């Protein structure tokens, strides 16, 4: 499941809990404990997701509610205010024992669902942009360059706004009118009242407004490694997962790419465009040029994860070819909606293959045909031409053709507006930022093509 699917899961769970709190009162202590603990977990997970998006904690320490109130009263620091508000909202001045899942019902169960869903969103982000480390994937580089960050923070703000609605209802839901229970849960009610009456709601509205119309991260999924044996591809979801896993491994291990990966990757791009881009023959021609050039290269045999990666791509190609042959007589655009998500992977695939091509040339692990040599076998009167291979260099025509075609394909999906949600989040391959002192604010998207994001 993608970030967008988990976001919808969390939002619906928060809405369900809010409605349930307005229609009933808390009964069992297990339900109350579960709701209070899940409420704090929601704010904690939202703060974690925000920090992952912007590359670090916008505030150096977790303030108490008094200092958080002062920070929320400032102007022009919306992201810091959101983070501080989330951290302060998570604090309850009393610990409550956890409750088993089989006991918890009603609002508490919905709040647990929301906390788990937001936690998975953070896990997906962490698989691409691990805290304190360089990005692990092309998507991670794009996020660090600003792609999808504003809309991602806006989504966090929307979930925060839904969580504040829980806090508005929570004191009334906790009001047992039973003396000692009211006192036991007073810290939780006070925490909820602080959040509901703070400027956190105003901050969320500002951030939601900033995120409107910005590229989204809803298509982002977990970054997994290639599997052995390669899973069978039966649906477009399987295909996207396999391509993403292969592409991620190739990006992280560019020094291990071989001609097989270049051939499979370019064939994949060609197959996807044949199925989905019948209206743009120049795009098909670009991938065809790359596939023809890659076919003329050779390298050492595949071993280990490199072989697993190739197997994943091979399985996706098998599935794509089955789409093109099993429905003869059907309309040409029948598979366009199904293939659109794979189309979104292609700009990053092209950038990854280009990076691998450069690495393979540097280690002299790609070979091209050399001029043939005539040799006469012993005892024969006939000379035979013998194939000879030599290490490829950047000046070879086939290498230049492949490099040029891959660079052009990086921007093709965006140029024709055929990208899906995940590609629109990263319309152009980005440059990684190098400044260690860069502040944790919204990155400013460049407006000129000269400064547009591009992979190194």
């Amino acid at each position: 499941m993608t970030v967008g699917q988990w976001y919808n899961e969390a939002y619906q769970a928060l809405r369900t809990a809010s409605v349930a709190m307005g229609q009933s009162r808390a009964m069992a202590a297990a339900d109350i404990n579960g709701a209070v603990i899940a409420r704090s977990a929601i704010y904690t997970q939202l703060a974690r997701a925000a920090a992952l998006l912007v590359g670090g904690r916008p505030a150096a320490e977790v303030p108490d509610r008094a200092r958080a109130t002062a920070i929320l009263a400032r102007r022009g620091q919306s992201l810091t205010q959101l983070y501080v508000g989330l951290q302060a909202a998570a604090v309850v001045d009393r610990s409550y024992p956890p409750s088993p899942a089989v006991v918890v019902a009603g609002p508490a169960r919905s709040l647990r669902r929301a906390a788990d869903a937001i936690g998975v969103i953070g896990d997906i982000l962490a698989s691409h942009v691990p805290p304190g480390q360089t990005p692990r994937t092309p998507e991670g580089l794009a996020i660090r360059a600003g792609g999808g960050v504003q809309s991602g923070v806006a989504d966090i703000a929307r979930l925060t706004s839904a969580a504040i609605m829980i806090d508005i209802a929570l004191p009334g839901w906790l009001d047992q009118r039973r003396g000692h229970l009211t006192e036991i849960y007073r810290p939780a009610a006070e925490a909820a009242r602080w959040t509901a009456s703070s400027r956190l709601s105003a901050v969320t509205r500002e951030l939601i407004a900033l995120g409107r119309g910005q590229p989204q991260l809803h298509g982002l999924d977990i970054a997994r490694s290639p599997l052995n044996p390669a899973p069978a591809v039966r649906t477009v979801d399987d295909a996207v997962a396999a391509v993403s896993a292969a592409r991620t491994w190739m990006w992280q291990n560019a020094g291990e790419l071989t001609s097989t990966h270049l051939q499979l990757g370019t064939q994949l791009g060609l197959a996807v465009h044949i199925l989905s881009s019948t209206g743009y023959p120049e795009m098909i021609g670009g991938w065809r040029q790359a596939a023809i050039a890659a076919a003329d290269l050779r390298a050492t045999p595949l071993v280990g994860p490199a072989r697993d990666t190739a197997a994943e791509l091979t399985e996706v190609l098998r599935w794509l070819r089955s789409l093109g042959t099993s429905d003869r007589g059907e309309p040409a655009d029948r598979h366009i909606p199904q293939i659109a998500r794979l189309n979104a992977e292609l700009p990053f695939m092209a950038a990854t293959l280009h990076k691998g091509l450069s690495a393979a040339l540097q280690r002299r692990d790609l070979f091209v045909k050399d001029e043939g040599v005539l040799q006469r076998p012993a005892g024969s009167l006939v000379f035979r031409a013998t194939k000879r291979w030599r290490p490829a260099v950047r000046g070879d025509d086939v290498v230049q053709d492949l490099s040029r075609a891959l660079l052009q394909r990086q921007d093709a999906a965006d140029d024709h507006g055929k990208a899906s949600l995940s590609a629109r989040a990263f319309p152009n391959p980005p440059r990684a930022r190098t400044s260690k002192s860069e502040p944790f604010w919204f990155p400013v998207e460049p407006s000129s093509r000269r400064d547009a994001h591009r992979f190194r």
Side-chain angles (χ1 to χ4, degrees):
M1 292 177 65
T2 63
V3 163
Q5 292 169 315
W6 287 113
Y7 166 80
N8 291 334
E9 170 79 10
Y11 190 79
Q12 291 301 323
L14 288 170
R15 292 289 300 274
T16 300
S18 180
V19 171
M21 281 185 175
Q23 295 175 345
S24 64
R25 292 291 182 268
M27 299 299 293
D31 294 337
I32 301 174
N33 293 344
V36 171
I37 293 171
R39 171 201 170 275
S40 292
I42 287 169
Y43 285 116
T44 299
Q45 293 294 349
L46 287 170
R48 175 197 177 212
L52 286 167
L53 272 176
V54 299
R57 292 187 301 171
E61 61 183 79
V62 180
D64 56 32
R65 285 198 284 267
R67 284 183 291 172
T69 300
I71 293 174
L72 287 169
R74 300 173 185 171
R75 293 291 186 270
Q77 298 182 2
S78 298
L79 183 55
T80 298
Q81 290 172 329
L82 174 68
Y83 182 81
V84 167
L86 290 171
Q87 291 281 51
V91 176
V92 176
D93 297 332
R94 180 166 185 165
S95 298
Y96 298 96
S99 304
V102 294
V103 176
V104 176
R109 179 173 296 174
S110 296
L111 291 175
R112 277 190 174 180
R113 281 176 44 220
D116 290 342
I118 298 168
V120 175
I121 291 174
D123 293 341
I124 292 175
L125 291 171
S127 74
H128 296 276
V129 283
Q133 303 177 30
T134 57
R136 296 184 61 248
T137 65
E139 291 94 334
L141 270 180
I143 290 172
R144 283 292 166 265
V149 173
Q150 287 190 0
S151 66
V153 173
D155 286 340
I156 293 174
R158 290 188 187 93
L159 292 175
T160 302
S161 182
I164 292 173
M165 297 303 296
I166 298 292
D167 280 351
I168 292 174
L170 186 62
W173 186 72
L174 291 175
D175 186 7
Q176 300 292 309
R177 302 185 183 280
R178 296 177 185 174
H180 70 287
L181 287 178
T182 301
E183 186 60 32
I184 288 174
Y185 294 107
R186 187 185 303 278
E190 289 176 350
R193 290 191 183 97
W194 177 86
T195 306
S197 62
S198 70
R199 283 199 71 253
L200 188 56
S201 292
V203 171
T204 62
R205 289 193 295 270
E206 294 173 8
L207 293 173
I208 291 171
L210 286 173
R212 289 194 181 100
Q214 297 297 316
Q216 294 184 329
L217 293 172
H218 285 184
L220 195 66
D221 206 343
I222 197 75
R224 70 166 176 85
S225 299
L227 303 177
N228 183 13
V233 173
R234 298 185 178 89
T235 67
V236 69
D237 289 335
D238 297 338
V240 169
V243 171
S244 179
R247 177 175 49 73
T248 296
W249 183 89
M250 290 190 293
W251 180 263
Q252 296 170 354
N253 301 274
E256 298 183 41
L257 260 67
T258 70
S259 60
T260 302
H261 299 109
L262 294 170
Q263 291 160 7
L264 291 172
T266 53
Q267 290 170 24
L268 174 70
L270 178 58
V272 169
H273 277 295
I274 287 175
L275 288 172
S276 65
S277 300
T278 55
Y280 300 103
E282 70 276 15
M283 296 178 70
I284 297 175
W287 279 108
R288 181 177 289 117
Q289 177 188 1
I292 292 173
D296 288 335
L297 296 172
R298 296 293 184 272
T300 53
L302 300 175
V303 294
R307 183 177 54 216
D308 300 337
T309 301
E312 294 252 22
L313 292 177
T314 300
E315 179 61 18
V316 177
L317 276 171
R318 180 205 60 78
W319 176 74
L320 285 170
R321 287 163 181 159
S322 72
L323 296 183
T325 59
S326 62
D327 297 311
R328 296 185 184 276
E330 294 289 338
D333 60 352
R334 179 177 184 271
H335 296 295
I336 288 180
Q338 192 177 16
I339 303 301
R341 288 176 56 201
L342 267 181
N343 199 354
E345 296 285 333
L346 296 187
F348 278 166
M349 176 62 76
T352 302
L353 295 176
H354 188 268
K355 180 181 179 181
L357 173 63
S358 299
L361 290 171
Q362 288 178 2
R363 69 178 190 274
R364 297 178 66 81
D365 196 24
L366 286 180
F367 303 92
V368 295
K369 288 182 180 179
D370 202 355
E371 294 182 3
V373 176
L374 293 177
Q375 293 182 342
R376 188 177 66 178
S380 174
L381 298 177
V382 179
F383 285 84
R384 295 180 181 179
T386 303
K387 290 183 179 179
R388 297 181 63 184
W389 296 83
R390 61 170 176 81
V393 296
R394 294 187 184 277
D396 289 329
D397 290 342
V398 65
V399 173
Q400 291 183 355
D401 289 346
L402 178 57
S403 179
R404 188 182 306 112
L406 291 174
L407 284 174
Q408 292 171 351
R409 292 310 93 204
Q410 291 181 27
D411 295 328
D414 183 54
D415 291 342
H416 290 287
K418 300 291 290 182
S420 72
L421 288 177
S422 59
R424 285 200 297 271
F426 321 107
N428 298 294
R431 286 188 183 274
R433 296 192 174 189
T434 57
S435 172
K436 296 183 178 180
S437 61
E438 180 179 296
F440 296 119
W441 312 117
F442 286 134
V444 178
E445 293 288 352
S447 58
S448 67
R449 295 293 292 178
R450 178 177 57 82
D451 293 325
H453 302 321
R454 186 174 299 277
F455 282 117
R456 294 191 184 277

